[in-house]
Amino acid sequence: GDRIPVVKGMSGHDVKVLQDFLRRAGLKNVPIDGEFRTGTFRAVKGFEKAQKLPVDGVVDAGDIEVLRGQVDPVAPAVTRAPEPLPLAAG
């Protein structure tokens, strides 16, 4: 999503995606409800500790890059919008 950093107290689709990624990275006790509450906060801190990242419970761009690499190791580090397709002659 576009909201970085993702912090405790936030809610919405970005949080739900984060929770899903944390689960796919092996943190099975994460709820997938779109609410960044205590359970998600603990999971983020556990992920940060396991990956030797600064343990602050705040999901910043560096955390997201590492998490994406865990979930989809062939994904590019930076996701860009696709180039528009050229229009056919009309």
Side-chain angles (χ1 to χ4, degrees):
D2 296 327
R3 299 182 308 162
I4 297 176
V6 182
V7 298
K8 189 173 181 183
M10 293 176 78
S11 64
H13 181 73
D14 292 348
V15 175
K16 195 176 258 191
V17 170
L18 167 65
Q19 292 167 331
D20 177 54
F21 274 37
L22 288 167
R23 274 226 189 145
R24 290 196 273 157
L27 297 154
K28 300 299 181 196
N29 292 330
V30 180
I32 301 180
D33 61 4
E35 301 291 330
F36 196 138
R37 293 184 277 219
T38 302
T40 303
F41 183 72
R42 286 185 187 141
V44 168
K45 287 176 70 174
F47 174 79
E48 290 170 333
K49 183 177 181 182
Q51 297 302 314
K52 297 181 174 40
L53 297 166
V55 179
D56 57 9
V58 174
V59 183
D60 60 19
D63 294 340
I64 291 168
E65 185 174 337
V66 172
L67 185 56
R68 274 192 184 142
Q70 291 254 318
V71 173
D72 185 5
V74 296
V78 177
T79 304
R80 295 190 186 120
E83 294 292 322
L85 296 174
L87 295 175

